[in-house]
Amino acid sequence: MFHECQEELDMRHDKYERIAKLSRNVTIESKRVIFLLHRINGDESCKRILDEVEQKLDLLQNTEWHQIALELQNEDPYQFLRAYSPGLQEYVEALAFFHYVQQHTLLTAQQLKHSLTFSELSGNDVYEPGIDSTVKGPILLRPLSVYVPLTEYILGLADLTGEMMRMAINCIGRGELSKPFELCQCIRSMHNAFLSYGSHSREMLVKFSVLRQSMRKVEDACYTLKVRGSEIPRHLLADELKSLSHLPLCFETNSDDCLD
């Protein structure tokens, strides 16, 4: 009896470590996607980079996330949620950032779940052929998917505001002076939504604090553009924003500090 319990615990610990390792790979690749999106510079590079990002996301879904879905099959996902939660939040941030750059809208929870649902058949899928098993026809199976709690989706969106803040500042450096106001309005809407949602956990409270800081940085940048934009030459606006001590932002999109 004790030997069987030991084997079961060892199997669960091994599975937890495998999922955690896959989650770390997801985190790394998601950061690379975000870094690539920050390199968009005008319409010429936009389509090329978006196509490259879409390929990276598809590959990530069909490799690491598919493997995680197989590991979670027939298991209680909450027993392994802490193993893949960091990767899931980073993936939500990357996918939402890509979705916003491409379509100028926020990623919905349904779209996120759809990206982590797989239609292919596997040997462990549960088949329910129906009452008369001799009749050939379509069969029912349990879909293979990664469980995505709503809180993980919300926490990932909170991280998105940091990338939107960096995008706004980089747009000013490139001379795109209307984009920061659009991003500022979007971040404000997200801030108001978070206010109505409330703080249900310590992690949510930390994320909301960072969200508020990002919003204030974009608001200060927009204020500088609105008040002093006509006084400062366009090519010196980035230097003016750099001089603000409370804006420790990166203005070079090829800097790894942008993704910390």
Side-chain angles (χ1 to χ4, degrees):
M1 173 181 173
F2 290 104
H3 183 67
E4 293 177 356
C5 292
Q6 178 187 357
E7 289 182 349
E8 183 177 354
L9 286 175
D10 289 341
M11 289 176 60
R12 288 193 175 276
H13 290 158
D14 292 341
K15 176 172 288 193
Y16 188 96
E17 290 300 323
R18 290 195 300 269
I19 294 176
K21 183 178 180 180
L22 290 168
S23 176
R24 287 193 291 269
N25 294 337
V26 170
T27 299
I28 293 172
E29 293 302 321
S30 298
K31 285 183 177 293
R32 288 174 177 169
V33 166
I34 294 172
F35 175 76
L36 190 57
L37 287 169
H38 278 298
R39 297 182 61 185
I40 294 178
N41 187 7
D43 296 334
E44 296 181 359
S45 62
C46 183
K47 187 179 185 305
R48 174 179 57 82
I49 291 178
L50 288 178
D51 290 341
E52 185 177 352
V53 166
E54 188 172 9
Q55 293 177 4
K56 285 181 176 293
L57 289 173
D58 289 341
L59 181 62
L60 188 61
Q61 293 164 6
N62 295 323
T63 52
E64 274 77 12
W65 278 123
H66 180 257
Q67 188 62 37
I68 291 176
L70 290 174
E71 294 283 359
L72 293 175
Q73 197 171 25
N74 302 325
E75 297 283 358
D76 181 3
Y78 282 100
Q79 292 185 358
F80 302 94
L81 181 59
R82 294 189 64 181
Y84 68 92
S85 175
L88 179 58
Q89 292 183 26
E90 196 70 33
Y91 172 76
V92 172
E93 180 183 1
L95 185 62
F97 193 30
F98 166 72
H99 193 271
Y100 181 81
V101 173
Q102 185 183 51
Q103 303 184 22
H104 303 288
T105 57
L106 286 180
L107 178 76
T108 64
Q110 189 63 32
Q111 290 171 328
L112 172 63
K113 292 179 181 179
H114 182 267
S115 70
L116 297 179
T117 301
F118 308 94
S119 59
E120 69 178 59
L121 307 181
S122 66
N124 295 327
D125 284 328
V126 177
Y127 295 88
E128 299 175 0
I131 300 177
D132 189 356
S133 59
T134 61
V135 178
K136 294 183 179 180
I139 58 176
L140 301 176
L141 68 153
R142 184 169 56 191
L144 182 65
S145 62
V146 177
Y147 178 67
V148 182
L150 186 60
T151 53
E152 299 296 312
Y153 162 73
I154 294 175
L155 291 172
L157 284 187
D159 291 332
L160 172 65
T161 58
E163 305 307 327
M164 297 173 73
M165 176 267 295
R166 295 183 179 97
M167 184 181 184
I169 302 304
N170 289 330
C171 286
I172 296 175
R174 294 195 299 265
E176 302 175 15
L177 304 186
S178 60
K179 190 69 174 179
F181 294 94
E182 175 186 337
L183 289 165
C184 182
Q185 185 60 39
C186 183
I187 296 175
R188 281 176 171 175
S189 299
M190 294 177 66
H191 175 267
N192 294 336
F194 269 81
L195 278 178
S196 62
Y197 183 76
S199 301
H200 297 279
S201 64
R202 180 179 178 276
E203 188 176 12
M204 182 71 71
L205 188 62
V206 172
K207 298 274 189 180
F208 183 69
S209 176
V210 176
L211 186 156
R212 186 185 291 111
Q213 292 176 11
S214 299
M215 182 186 68
R216 288 176 178 174
K217 291 174 183 178
V218 178
E219 287 178 340
D220 289 343
C222 291
Y223 174 81
T224 301
L225 285 177
K226 197 71 174 179
V227 175
R228 303 195 59 192
S230 59
E231 304 173 1
I232 306 172
R234 179 170 297 186
H235 65 281
L236 295 178
L237 282 173
D239 294 332
E240 175 65 21
L241 292 176
K242 278 184 181 181
S243 65
L244 299 178
S245 59
H246 60 290
L247 288 179
L249 307 174
C250 54
F251 290 80
E252 298 296 334
T253 57
N254 59 354
S255 171
D256 292 339
D257 295 337
C258 293
L259 304 181
D260 291 339

